[in-house]
Short mmCIF file of all heavy atoms in Angstrom, two decimals:
data_model
loop_
_atom_site.label_atom_id
_atom_site.label_comp_id
_atom_site.label_asym_id
_atom_site.label_seq_id
_atom_site.Cartn_x
_atom_site.Cartn_y
_atom_site.Cartn_z
N MET A 1 114.14 78.46 102.26
CA MET A 1 112.93 79.04 102.80
C MET A 1 111.77 78.07 102.62
O MET A 1 111.68 77.41 101.60
CB MET A 1 112.60 80.34 102.08
CG MET A 1 113.24 81.55 102.68
SD MET A 1 112.55 83.08 102.02
CE MET A 1 113.75 83.42 100.75
N THR A 2 110.92 78.09 103.59
CA THR A 2 109.73 77.25 103.48
C THR A 2 108.67 77.96 102.65
O THR A 2 108.75 79.16 102.40
CB THR A 2 109.15 76.94 104.87
OG1 THR A 2 108.67 78.15 105.44
CG2 THR A 2 110.19 76.31 105.78
N GLY A 3 107.67 77.22 102.26
CA GLY A 3 106.60 77.79 101.48
C GLY A 3 105.88 78.90 102.22
O GLY A 3 105.48 79.90 101.64
N GLN A 4 105.72 78.71 103.55
CA GLN A 4 105.03 79.73 104.35
C GLN A 4 105.84 81.02 104.39
O GLN A 4 105.28 82.11 104.25
CB GLN A 4 104.79 79.21 105.76
CG GLN A 4 104.02 80.18 106.62
CD GLN A 4 103.78 79.64 108.02
OE1 GLN A 4 104.28 78.60 108.39
NE2 GLN A 4 103.01 80.37 108.81
N VAL A 5 107.13 80.93 104.56
CA VAL A 5 107.98 82.12 104.60
C VAL A 5 107.97 82.81 103.24
O VAL A 5 107.88 84.04 103.16
CB VAL A 5 109.42 81.74 105.02
CG1 VAL A 5 110.35 82.93 104.88
CG2 VAL A 5 109.43 81.21 106.44
N GLN A 6 108.06 82.04 102.18
CA GLN A 6 108.02 82.63 100.84
C GLN A 6 106.69 83.34 100.59
O GLN A 6 106.66 84.41 99.99
CB GLN A 6 108.26 81.55 99.79
CG GLN A 6 109.69 81.07 99.74
CD GLN A 6 109.89 79.94 98.76
OE1 GLN A 6 108.97 79.14 98.51
NE2 GLN A 6 111.09 79.84 98.21
N ALA A 7 105.60 82.75 101.06
CA ALA A 7 104.28 83.37 100.88
C ALA A 7 104.19 84.68 101.66
O ALA A 7 103.65 85.67 101.16
CB ALA A 7 103.19 82.41 101.33
N GLN A 8 104.73 84.69 102.87
CA GLN A 8 104.72 85.92 103.67
C GLN A 8 105.55 87.01 103.00
O GLN A 8 105.16 88.17 102.97
CB GLN A 8 105.23 85.65 105.08
CG GLN A 8 104.26 84.86 105.93
CD GLN A 8 104.87 84.48 107.27
OE1 GLN A 8 106.08 84.45 107.44
NE2 GLN A 8 104.01 84.16 108.23
N LEU A 9 106.70 86.64 102.49
CA LEU A 9 107.57 87.59 101.80
C LEU A 9 106.89 88.13 100.55
O LEU A 9 106.91 89.34 100.29
CB LEU A 9 108.91 86.94 101.44
CG LEU A 9 109.94 87.84 100.78
CD1 LEU A 9 110.28 89.03 101.68
CD2 LEU A 9 111.20 87.05 100.46
N ALA A 10 106.27 87.26 99.79
CA ALA A 10 105.57 87.69 98.58
C ALA A 10 104.41 88.62 98.92
O ALA A 10 104.19 89.63 98.23
CB ALA A 10 105.06 86.47 97.81
N ALA A 11 103.69 88.34 99.99
CA ALA A 11 102.58 89.20 100.41
C ALA A 11 103.10 90.57 100.83
O ALA A 11 102.50 91.60 100.51
CB ALA A 11 101.80 88.55 101.54
N GLY A 12 104.22 90.59 101.52
CA GLY A 12 104.82 91.86 101.93
C GLY A 12 105.27 92.68 100.74
O GLY A 12 105.04 93.89 100.68
N GLU A 13 105.90 92.02 99.79
CA GLU A 13 106.35 92.71 98.58
C GLU A 13 105.16 93.24 97.78
O GLU A 13 105.21 94.33 97.23
CB GLU A 13 107.20 91.78 97.71
CG GLU A 13 108.57 91.49 98.29
CD GLU A 13 109.47 92.72 98.35
OE1 GLU A 13 109.29 93.64 97.54
OE2 GLU A 13 110.34 92.76 99.22
N ALA A 14 104.09 92.47 97.75
CA ALA A 14 102.88 92.91 97.04
C ALA A 14 102.30 94.15 97.72
O ALA A 14 101.86 95.09 97.05
CB ALA A 14 101.85 91.79 97.00
N ALA A 15 102.32 94.16 99.05
CA ALA A 15 101.81 95.33 99.79
C ALA A 15 102.64 96.57 99.48
O ALA A 15 102.10 97.67 99.34
CB ALA A 15 101.80 95.04 101.29
N VAL A 16 103.95 96.40 99.36
CA VAL A 16 104.83 97.52 99.02
C VAL A 16 104.47 98.04 97.63
O VAL A 16 104.35 99.26 97.42
CB VAL A 16 106.32 97.10 99.08
CG1 VAL A 16 107.21 98.17 98.49
CG2 VAL A 16 106.72 96.79 100.51
N GLN A 17 104.28 97.15 96.68
CA GLN A 17 103.96 97.56 95.32
C GLN A 17 102.60 98.26 95.23
O GLN A 17 102.46 99.26 94.51
CB GLN A 17 103.98 96.35 94.38
CG GLN A 17 105.38 95.80 94.16
CD GLN A 17 106.33 96.85 93.62
OE1 GLN A 17 106.01 97.60 92.72
NE2 GLN A 17 107.53 96.92 94.19
N VAL A 18 101.62 97.77 95.98
CA VAL A 18 100.29 98.40 95.99
C VAL A 18 100.39 99.81 96.58
O VAL A 18 99.82 100.76 96.04
CB VAL A 18 99.28 97.53 96.77
CG1 VAL A 18 98.01 98.30 97.07
CG2 VAL A 18 98.97 96.27 95.99
N ALA A 19 101.12 99.94 97.68
CA ALA A 19 101.26 101.25 98.32
C ALA A 19 102.00 102.23 97.41
O ALA A 19 101.61 103.40 97.29
CB ALA A 19 102.00 101.11 99.66
N TYR A 20 103.06 101.76 96.76
CA TYR A 20 103.81 102.63 95.85
C TYR A 20 102.96 103.06 94.67
O TYR A 20 102.95 104.23 94.29
CB TYR A 20 105.07 101.90 95.36
CG TYR A 20 105.91 102.74 94.42
CD1 TYR A 20 106.63 103.82 94.90
CD2 TYR A 20 105.96 102.46 93.06
CE1 TYR A 20 107.39 104.60 94.04
CE2 TYR A 20 106.72 103.23 92.21
CZ TYR A 20 107.44 104.30 92.70
OH TYR A 20 108.18 105.07 91.85
N ALA A 21 102.21 102.12 94.10
CA ALA A 21 101.36 102.43 92.96
C ALA A 21 100.29 103.46 93.35
O ALA A 21 99.99 104.37 92.56
CB ALA A 21 100.70 101.16 92.43
N ALA A 22 99.74 103.34 94.54
CA ALA A 22 98.73 104.30 95.00
C ALA A 22 99.34 105.69 95.11
O ALA A 22 98.73 106.69 94.70
CB ALA A 22 98.15 103.86 96.33
N PHE A 23 100.55 105.77 95.64
CA PHE A 23 101.24 107.05 95.77
C PHE A 23 101.50 107.66 94.39
O PHE A 23 101.19 108.83 94.14
CB PHE A 23 102.55 106.87 96.54
CG PHE A 23 103.44 108.07 96.48
CD1 PHE A 23 103.11 109.24 97.13
CD2 PHE A 23 104.63 108.03 95.76
CE1 PHE A 23 103.93 110.36 97.07
CE2 PHE A 23 105.46 109.13 95.70
CZ PHE A 23 105.11 110.30 96.35
N ILE A 24 102.02 106.87 93.47
CA ILE A 24 102.35 107.37 92.14
C ILE A 24 101.08 107.79 91.39
O ILE A 24 101.05 108.86 90.77
CB ILE A 24 103.13 106.30 91.34
CG1 ILE A 24 104.51 106.10 91.96
CG2 ILE A 24 103.26 106.71 89.87
CD1 ILE A 24 105.38 107.33 92.02
N ARG A 25 100.04 106.96 91.45
CA ARG A 25 98.79 107.32 90.77
C ARG A 25 98.26 108.65 91.31
O ARG A 25 97.81 109.50 90.53
CB ARG A 25 97.73 106.23 90.97
CG ARG A 25 97.79 105.13 89.96
CD ARG A 25 96.56 104.24 89.99
NE ARG A 25 96.23 103.72 91.31
CZ ARG A 25 96.74 102.61 91.83
NH1 ARG A 25 97.60 101.89 91.14
NH2 ARG A 25 96.39 102.21 93.02
N HIS A 26 98.30 108.83 92.62
CA HIS A 26 97.80 110.07 93.20
C HIS A 26 98.60 111.27 92.69
O HIS A 26 98.02 112.26 92.27
CB HIS A 26 97.85 110.03 94.73
CG HIS A 26 97.53 111.36 95.32
ND1 HIS A 26 96.24 111.80 95.47
CD2 HIS A 26 98.33 112.37 95.74
CE1 HIS A 26 96.26 113.03 95.96
NE2 HIS A 26 97.51 113.39 96.14
N THR A 27 99.91 111.18 92.73
CA THR A 27 100.72 112.33 92.32
C THR A 27 100.57 112.65 90.84
O THR A 27 100.81 113.78 90.43
CB THR A 27 102.21 112.12 92.67
OG1 THR A 27 102.69 110.93 92.03
CG2 THR A 27 102.42 112.02 94.17
N GLN A 28 100.16 111.67 90.04
CA GLN A 28 99.95 111.92 88.61
C GLN A 28 98.65 112.68 88.35
O GLN A 28 98.55 113.40 87.37
CB GLN A 28 99.95 110.61 87.84
CG GLN A 28 101.31 109.98 87.75
CD GLN A 28 101.28 108.61 87.11
OE1 GLN A 28 100.25 107.94 87.10
NE2 GLN A 28 102.42 108.19 86.59
N VAL A 29 97.66 112.51 89.20
CA VAL A 29 96.36 113.15 88.96
C VAL A 29 96.07 114.33 89.88
O VAL A 29 95.13 115.08 89.63
CB VAL A 29 95.20 112.13 89.07
CG1 VAL A 29 95.35 111.04 88.03
CG2 VAL A 29 95.08 111.56 90.46
N CYS A 30 96.86 114.52 90.90
CA CYS A 30 96.63 115.59 91.87
C CYS A 30 97.25 116.90 91.35
O CYS A 30 98.47 117.00 91.19
CB CYS A 30 97.23 115.21 93.22
SG CYS A 30 97.10 116.51 94.46
N ALA A 31 96.39 117.88 91.11
CA ALA A 31 96.88 119.17 90.59
C ALA A 31 97.89 119.84 91.51
O ALA A 31 98.94 120.29 91.05
CB ALA A 31 95.71 120.09 90.29
N PRO A 32 97.63 119.94 92.82
CA PRO A 32 98.63 120.58 93.70
C PRO A 32 99.98 119.85 93.70
O PRO A 32 101.03 120.49 93.72
CB PRO A 32 97.98 120.55 95.08
CG PRO A 32 96.51 120.51 94.81
CD PRO A 32 96.38 119.69 93.56
N CYS A 33 99.94 118.53 93.68
CA CYS A 33 101.20 117.77 93.66
C CYS A 33 101.99 118.06 92.38
O CYS A 33 103.20 118.24 92.41
CB CYS A 33 100.93 116.27 93.76
SG CYS A 33 100.42 115.70 95.39
N ARG A 34 101.28 118.08 91.26
CA ARG A 34 101.95 118.34 89.98
C ARG A 34 102.39 119.78 89.88
O ARG A 34 103.50 120.08 89.43
CB ARG A 34 101.00 118.00 88.82
CG ARG A 34 100.78 116.53 88.64
CD ARG A 34 100.06 116.22 87.34
NE ARG A 34 99.36 117.35 86.80
CZ ARG A 34 98.06 117.41 86.58
NH1 ARG A 34 97.31 116.38 86.84
NH2 ARG A 34 97.50 118.49 86.08
N LYS A 35 101.52 120.71 90.26
CA LYS A 35 101.81 122.13 90.10
C LYS A 35 102.92 122.60 91.03
O LYS A 35 103.84 123.30 90.61
CB LYS A 35 100.54 122.94 90.37
CG LYS A 35 100.72 124.42 90.24
CD LYS A 35 99.44 125.16 90.59
CE LYS A 35 99.72 126.65 90.67
NZ LYS A 35 98.70 127.35 91.43
N ASP A 36 102.81 122.22 92.30
CA ASP A 36 103.76 122.71 93.30
C ASP A 36 105.02 121.87 93.39
O ASP A 36 106.03 122.32 93.92
CB ASP A 36 103.10 122.77 94.68
CG ASP A 36 101.89 123.69 94.70
OD1 ASP A 36 101.84 124.62 93.86
OD2 ASP A 36 101.01 123.47 95.55
N GLY A 37 104.95 120.64 92.91
CA GLY A 37 106.11 119.76 92.99
C GLY A 37 106.38 119.26 94.39
O GLY A 37 107.43 118.72 94.68
N ALA A 38 105.40 119.44 95.28
CA ALA A 38 105.53 118.96 96.66
C ALA A 38 104.30 118.13 96.99
O ALA A 38 103.23 118.31 96.40
CB ALA A 38 105.64 120.14 97.61
N ASP A 39 104.45 117.23 97.93
CA ASP A 39 103.35 116.36 98.32
C ASP A 39 102.25 117.15 99.02
O ASP A 39 102.52 117.96 99.90
CB ASP A 39 103.83 115.28 99.28
CG ASP A 39 104.73 114.25 98.63
OD1 ASP A 39 104.85 114.28 97.39
OD2 ASP A 39 105.30 113.44 99.36
N CYS A 40 101.00 116.88 98.62
CA CYS A 40 99.87 117.39 99.38
C CYS A 40 99.68 116.48 100.59
O CYS A 40 100.42 115.51 100.77
CB CYS A 40 98.61 117.43 98.50
SG CYS A 40 97.94 115.81 98.09
N THR A 41 98.70 116.75 101.40
CA THR A 41 98.47 115.95 102.61
C THR A 41 98.18 114.49 102.27
O THR A 41 98.72 113.58 102.91
CB THR A 41 97.29 116.54 103.42
OG1 THR A 41 97.58 117.90 103.69
CG2 THR A 41 97.08 115.80 104.71
N THR A 42 97.38 114.27 101.24
CA THR A 42 97.06 112.89 100.83
C THR A 42 98.30 112.18 100.32
O THR A 42 98.55 111.02 100.67
CB THR A 42 95.97 112.90 99.75
OG1 THR A 42 94.81 113.56 100.26
CG2 THR A 42 95.61 111.50 99.31
N ALA A 43 99.08 112.85 99.51
CA ALA A 43 100.31 112.25 98.98
C ALA A 43 101.28 111.93 100.10
O ALA A 43 101.94 110.89 100.08
CB ALA A 43 100.96 113.16 97.96
N ALA A 44 101.37 112.81 101.08
CA ALA A 44 102.26 112.56 102.21
C ALA A 44 101.83 111.31 102.97
O ALA A 44 102.67 110.49 103.37
CB ALA A 44 102.29 113.77 103.14
N ALA A 45 100.52 111.14 103.15
CA ALA A 45 100.01 109.95 103.84
C ALA A 45 100.28 108.69 103.01
O ALA A 45 100.66 107.65 103.57
CB ALA A 45 98.52 110.10 104.11
N LEU A 46 100.09 108.78 101.70
CA LEU A 46 100.37 107.64 100.83
C LEU A 46 101.86 107.29 100.82
O LEU A 46 102.23 106.12 100.82
CB LEU A 46 99.88 107.93 99.41
CG LEU A 46 98.37 107.97 99.24
CD1 LEU A 46 98.02 108.52 97.87
CD2 LEU A 46 97.75 106.60 99.45
N ARG A 47 102.71 108.31 100.82
CA ARG A 47 104.15 108.07 100.87
C ARG A 47 104.53 107.38 102.18
O ARG A 47 105.34 106.45 102.20
CB ARG A 47 104.94 109.37 100.72
CG ARG A 47 106.45 109.15 100.71
CD ARG A 47 107.21 110.46 100.74
NE ARG A 47 106.96 111.28 99.59
CZ ARG A 47 107.74 111.28 98.50
NH1 ARG A 47 108.78 110.51 98.43
NH2 ARG A 47 107.45 112.09 97.50
N GLN A 48 103.92 107.81 103.28
CA GLN A 48 104.21 107.20 104.58
C GLN A 48 103.72 105.76 104.61
O GLN A 48 104.40 104.89 105.16
CB GLN A 48 103.58 108.00 105.71
CG GLN A 48 104.00 107.52 107.08
CD GLN A 48 105.51 107.59 107.28
OE1 GLN A 48 106.13 108.62 107.04
NE2 GLN A 48 106.12 106.49 107.70
N ALA A 49 102.57 105.49 104.01
CA ALA A 49 102.07 104.12 103.94
C ALA A 49 103.04 103.24 103.15
O ALA A 49 103.28 102.08 103.52
CB ALA A 49 100.68 104.10 103.30
N TRP A 50 103.59 103.77 102.08
CA TRP A 50 104.58 103.04 101.29
C TRP A 50 105.83 102.76 102.13
O TRP A 50 106.33 101.63 102.16
CB TRP A 50 104.92 103.84 100.04
CG TRP A 50 106.05 103.32 99.22
CD1 TRP A 50 106.28 102.03 98.86
CD2 TRP A 50 107.09 104.09 98.62
NE1 TRP A 50 107.41 101.95 98.08
CE2 TRP A 50 107.93 103.19 97.92
CE3 TRP A 50 107.39 105.43 98.61
CZ2 TRP A 50 109.05 103.62 97.23
CZ3 TRP A 50 108.51 105.85 97.91
CH2 TRP A 50 109.31 104.94 97.24
N ARG A 51 106.30 103.75 102.85
CA ARG A 51 107.47 103.57 103.71
C ARG A 51 107.20 102.53 104.80
O ARG A 51 108.06 101.69 105.10
CB ARG A 51 107.88 104.89 104.35
CG ARG A 51 108.51 105.85 103.38
CD ARG A 51 108.86 107.15 104.07
NE ARG A 51 109.48 108.07 103.14
CZ ARG A 51 109.44 109.38 103.25
NH1 ARG A 51 108.80 109.93 104.27
NH2 ARG A 51 110.03 110.15 102.37
N ASP A 52 106.02 102.61 105.39
CA ASP A 52 105.64 101.65 106.43
C ASP A 52 105.60 100.23 105.87
O ASP A 52 106.04 99.29 106.52
CB ASP A 52 104.29 102.02 107.05
CG ASP A 52 104.34 103.31 107.84
OD1 ASP A 52 105.45 103.78 108.18
OD2 ASP A 52 103.25 103.85 108.12
N ALA A 53 105.08 100.08 104.65
CA ALA A 53 105.02 98.76 104.02
C ALA A 53 106.43 98.23 103.78
O ALA A 53 106.70 97.05 104.00
CB ALA A 53 104.23 98.83 102.72
N LYS A 54 107.34 99.09 103.33
CA LYS A 54 108.73 98.67 103.10
C LYS A 54 109.37 98.25 104.40
O LYS A 54 110.08 97.24 104.46
CB LYS A 54 109.55 99.80 102.46
CG LYS A 54 109.20 100.04 101.02
CD LYS A 54 110.19 100.94 100.31
CE LYS A 54 110.51 102.22 101.02
NZ LYS A 54 111.42 103.10 100.29
N THR A 55 109.12 99.00 105.47
CA THR A 55 109.69 98.67 106.78
C THR A 55 109.16 97.33 107.28
O THR A 55 109.91 96.54 107.84
CB THR A 55 109.36 99.78 107.79
OG1 THR A 55 109.92 101.01 107.31
CG2 THR A 55 109.92 99.47 109.16
N ALA A 56 107.88 97.07 107.06
CA ALA A 56 107.28 95.82 107.51
C ALA A 56 107.89 94.61 106.79
O ALA A 56 108.04 93.54 107.38
CB ALA A 56 105.77 95.86 107.30
N VAL A 57 108.26 94.79 105.53
CA VAL A 57 108.87 93.69 104.77
C VAL A 57 110.24 93.36 105.32
O VAL A 57 110.62 92.21 105.45
CB VAL A 57 108.95 94.03 103.26
CG1 VAL A 57 109.81 93.02 102.52
CG2 VAL A 57 107.56 94.08 102.66
N VAL A 58 110.99 94.39 105.69
CA VAL A 58 112.34 94.20 106.20
C VAL A 58 112.32 93.56 107.59
O VAL A 58 113.16 92.74 107.92
CB VAL A 58 113.11 95.54 106.24
CG1 VAL A 58 114.46 95.38 106.91
CG2 VAL A 58 113.27 96.08 104.83
N ALA A 59 111.33 93.92 108.37
CA ALA A 59 111.26 93.44 109.76
C ALA A 59 110.88 92.01 109.88
O ALA A 59 110.75 91.16 109.27
CB ALA A 59 110.22 94.26 110.53
#
């Protein structure tokens, strides 16, 4: 792999980690998420952003 490809891959992986961390942080502090055990609207959007980031890395 070239340096440019490695940099793009690293940036994609970083985006996945940031999105996942945002989702996890939200679910830890969100009372409805903790109480109900299901994603609230914000958590659902954060989970989708994480999925989208993972898809972008694979593509």
Side-chain angles (χ1 to χ4, degrees):
M1 271 192 264
T2 66
Q4 183 180 6
V5 172
Q6 288 176 330
Q8 288 174 338
L9 183 59
E13 289 294 333
V16 170
Q17 291 303 315
V18 167
Y20 180 72
F23 169 69
I24 293 300
R25 273 193 308 274
H26 172 81
T27 58
Q28 289 174 337
V29 299
C30 176
C33 287
R34 288 191 339 240
K35 179 183 171 200
D36 300 335
D39 291 351
C40 70
T41 304
T42 302
L46 290 169
R47 182 187 297 265
Q48 188 60 51
W50 172 44
R51 288 179 179 153
D52 293 344
K54 288 192 310 183
T55 300
V57 169
V58 174

